[in-house]
Amino acid sequence: MATVTAPERRATAGGSPWPAMVTLAFATSIIAVQSTAILPLLPVLQRELHTSLPAVTWALTLGLLVSAVAMPLLSKLGDMYGRRTVILGALTLLVIGSVVAALATSLPWLLAGRMLQGFVSPLLPLSIGLARSLLPRHQLATGIGVLSATMGFGGGGGMILAGLVAGDYQALFWIIGGSGAVAGVLVAFLVKDPAPVRRGRPDLPGALVLTIALVALLLAISQGGSWGWTSPGVLGLFAVAVVAAVVWVAIERRVAEPLVELAMLTHRGTVGATVASLLLGFSFFTVVTGMSNFAQTPAATGYGLGATTLQVGFFLLPNTLFMLVISLFSGQLMRRFAASTMVGAGSLIVAVGALWLVLSHDTGTDFYLASGLLGIGLGIGYAALGTMAVEHVDPASTALAAGINALVRLMGGSMAGAAIAAVLASLPGEPGYQWVFAVAAVGAVVAAVFAFVFGLLNRNLVPAA
């Protein structure tokens, strides 16, 4: 990695940093809005674009996949050319992608738009890096907590927005594009970047090989149930994923400035946050995608609720409200509890919400209750994940650590669609959805275990300045 020649300074002398922080929080929330707003619309897109549900699910998976690869790549470009500059570039791609998706009348054009939208993902690590430069030390935990929590809040807000447009995907993408344009204007006028730029070179070969590995893996998982787990196609895809992963690791070890700092993935101060973030992202997208699809299943099938996209949005309203409320108190919580404790506790609450749906999913009340539990758990967990990822690393590595944490969260989310497709193909109907929710619950429990163990192992480490 490039050598840091000067420490980043906290720029508070020119006035309050909070207008810039609020702007960054608004921009960051759009990441989650564009990621989750499409969930309730998958059945609509299947009908409007005349395609199958497994095919249209790639509108979710591909967007998250591009987000995962773009995260470290654009974070590196932020170090090279300035975080504010890259944020503006990412928002521009979001606006272009939203226009393409809004005008799409076929699945390929929709996927193209979703790919461009995925490049907005680096806003979170770039904004966290800016927060460390802009905020005084005693306000840093609050700032990072707000930025992290808005991801969860935006996720719930995106699904409600999908309901409010009554299934009109074109209106949805126009709104997302307009929001991105507004965020770009606000960033241009209100956000400054006091951190010095650093020379470097983006790892394009690493990005390409990582993309191949992830696409092959997710395609194999999603098609395993329908093609057969021992079919030549699925086994071939798994083989491609393994070979590409080995090649990627070799590239990352030899390139001067790797896409992902492999040592950071296994760093004692970050590994717990990395695993917890991966599993919590997986559990979140698995639960909400399962909830949306199950709720919209016609009641005539004997197990669905026959809900509209608007009703699905209301089912998820408690999730959004609890996330918003908790984000407002995230700073106080962070001063009283360790970040690892909050992530562990939040993950357990998410697991309880998923387990509730395993046992009871016959009425809207069940979905409201589960949604509320998810909101509480994700609000607590997401607010602390950012701090958990960076509190034990050198300040110069803040953006790197935050970027890796956000990357693995998106990777976990991208695996959700593939996992759901595999489960439902192997076990269709109500039992399949019960297994979907059970898998999400297991993921959240394991995330809690890693968070608590991480806290115990690092209880004697002094947080980085």
Side-chain angles (χ1 to χ4, degrees), residues 270-313:
T270 63
V271 65
T274 298
V275 177
S277 187
L278 175 77
L279 294 173
L280 198 54
F282 170 79
S283 296
F284 169 65
F285 278 99
T286 299
V287 172
V288 295
T289 304
M291 288 176 66
S292 174
N293 290 348
F294 183 91
Q296 292 185 73
T297 300
T301 60
Y303 63 90
L305 301 184
T308 64
T309 53
L310 181 58
Q311 287 174 310
V312 171

Side-chain angles (χ1 to χ4, degrees), residues 107-132:
L107 183 60
W109 279 108
L110 176 68
L111 295 181
R114 290 288 296 154
M115 289 175 64
L116 289 173
Q117 286 184 322
F119 282 98
V120 78
S121 64
L123 262 65
L124 179 60
L126 292 170
S127 296
I128 289 177
L130 281 173
R132 200 152 198 171

Side-chain angles (χ1 to χ4, degrees), residues 72-435:
L73 184 61
L74 296 193
S75 294
K76 167 58 68 177
L77 292 177
D79 290 339
M80 294 169 56
Y81 301 107
R83 294 163 185 162
R84 174 179 174 274
T85 300
V86 175
I87 287 174
L88 290 172
L91 287 170
T92 300
L93 291 176
L94 169 74
V95 173
I96 296 173
S98 299
V99 172
V100 171
L103 297 176
T105 56
S106 64
L107 183 60
W109 279 108
L110 176 68
L111 295 181
R114 290 288 296 154
M115 289 175 64
L116 289 173
Q117 286 184 322
F119 282 98
V120 78
S121 64
L123 262 65
L124 179 60
L126 292 170
S127 296
I128 289 177
L130 281 173
R132 200 152 198 171
S133 299
L134 296 170
L135 294 174
R137 185 176 303 170
H138 69 279
Q139 294 181 341
L140 183 59
T142 299
I144 294 177
V146 169
L147 289 171
S148 299
T150 53
M151 283 287 290
F153 170 71
M159 287 176 282
I160 292 176
L161 178 61
L164 292 176
V165 299
D168 186 343
Y169 74 91
Q170 294 176 320
L172 173 69
F173 288 124
W174 284 122
I175 293 172
I176 292 174
S179 300
V182 171
V185 172
L186 292 175
V187 168
F189 282 98
L190 297 178
V191 177
K192 305 299 179 185
D193 188 355
V197 297
R198 309 162 190 170
R199 294 182 179 180
R201 178 179 298 176
D203 180 17
L204 297 179
L208 176 61
V209 176
L210 178 61
T211 301
I212 294 173
L214 291 176
V215 169
L217 175 64
L218 296 178
L219 188 58
I221 294 174
S222 64
Q223 298 300 325
S226 56
W227 292 359
W229 292 103
T230 59
S231 66
V234 170
L235 293 178
L237 286 169
F238 277 127
V240 170
V242 171
V243 171
V246 171
V247 173
W248 178 71
V249 170
I251 292 174
E252 298 307 283
R253 286 181 172 176
R254 295 181 181 180
V255 72
E257 299 180 43
L259 180 73
V260 175
E261 191 75 51
L262 295 179
M264 190 66 73
L265 287 174
T266 57
H267 187 282
R268 177 183 173 184
T270 63
V271 65
T274 298
V275 177
S277 187
L278 175 77
L279 294 173
L280 198 54
F282 170 79
S283 296
F284 169 65
F285 278 99
T286 299
V287 172
V288 295
T289 304
M291 288 176 66
S292 174
N293 290 348
F294 183 91
Q296 292 185 73
T297 300
T301 60
Y303 63 90
L305 301 184
T308 64
T309 53
L310 181 58
Q311 287 174 310
V312 171
F314 280 115
F315 287 155
L316 295 166
L317 182 60
N319 173 78
T320 304
L321 293 178
F322 277 116
M323 280 189 158
L324 175 60
V325 172
I326 291 173
S327 70
L328 297 177
F329 296 96
S330 60
Q332 297 179 33
L333 291 171
M334 291 295 297
R335 285 191 289 270
R336 298 192 60 174
F337 302 100
S340 57
T341 300
M342 290 179 60
V343 172
S347 299
L348 287 179
I349 297 173
V350 170
V352 172
L355 283 173
W356 181 271
L357 290 173
V358 174
L359 301 174
S360 183
H361 44 258
D362 298 325
T363 67
T365 302
D366 293 319
F367 282 77
Y368 283 120
L369 180 58
S371 174
L373 290 170
L374 290 175
I376 295 171
L378 291 167
I380 295 172
Y382 275 7
L385 265 176
T387 298
M388 184 179 171
V390 305
E391 63 182 348
H392 297 304
V393 302
D394 184 86
S397 300
T398 297
L400 175 62
I404 289 177
N405 188 262
L407 178 150
V408 296
R409 192 186 313 179
L410 287 169
M411 288 178 62
S414 68
M415 294 176 184
I420 291 173
V423 170
L424 294 181
S426 302
L427 192 63
E430 183 177 8
Y433 280 104
Q434 289 177 300
W435 274 103

